[in-house]
Amino acid sequence: MELRSVEELMDLLCAGRHQHALRTAALLRRGRPADKELQVAGLVQGIGPVLCPGDEAARARTAAEAVRALLGERVFRLVRGDAEPGDDAQRLRQAAEEGRTAGFDAGVLEDWRTVLELVAARHARLGAVD
């Protein structure tokens, strides 16, 4: 499945365990407020269980492939889990782990629509140039 719009992505996020995804993205926003792609990667990991409910091993790969065309290569690599070892990949893993147990109000999915649209628009502009 390849997502073509932020609206499709929002529908999948709503269908999933979005509280964990919201907490992960919010933690990344706190630590790296200017890095929208990293924040979005934390958020969209939540579509893996919706796309592959019975196959835990395929969730990250399937989620990454679904958002690749919409959100770009960096988000794709981060969600898939094979980004260059380093700060970003480590921050994403730490935020995902902390998001499982953190007990704070991370807002609602609609709060992230604009960020998703910004990342998608930026990727579309870069894709047009390439």
Side-chain angles (χ1 to χ4, degrees):
M1 170 182 215
E2 184 177 288
L3 298 173
R4 295 290 183 178
S5 70
V6 170
E7 194 62 40
E8 288 178 352
L9 177 55
M10 291 291 290
D11 289 345
L12 280 176
L13 287 165
C14 284
R17 296 179 300 188
H18 60 272
Q19 290 305 312
H20 174 249
L22 285 170
R23 287 190 302 269
T24 300
L27 289 165
L28 291 164
R29 179 183 275 171
R30 288 178 186 174
R32 298 277 293 276
D35 194 343
K36 304 303 184 207
E37 290 179 338
L38 181 61
Q39 296 164 25
V40 164
L43 183 68
V44 301
Q45 285 181 327
I47 67 171
V50 176
L51 296 173
C52 295
D55 189 357
E56 195 169 325
R59 289 178 181 172
R61 184 188 76 247
T62 303
E65 289 170 358
V67 301
R68 185 180 206 170
L70 182 64
L71 302 175
E73 288 299 311
R74 181 167 179 241
V75 174
F76 166 76
R77 286 191 309 273
L78 286 165
V79 172
R80 193 171 64 181
D82 65 354
E84 293 290 319
D87 191 43
D88 292 344
Q90 183 178 3
R91 282 184 188 263
L92 182 56
R93 280 191 303 276
Q94 287 173 337
E97 188 62 37
E98 188 177 339
R100 286 184 179 81
T101 59
F104 64 93
D105 181 8
V108 295
L109 280 173
E110 195 60 36
D111 296 340
W112 287 91
R113 182 182 296 274
T114 302
V115 177
L116 290 167
E117 289 170 346
L118 287 170
V119 171
R122 180 174 183 272
H123 171 65
R125 281 193 307 274
L126 292 175
V129 172
D130 290 343

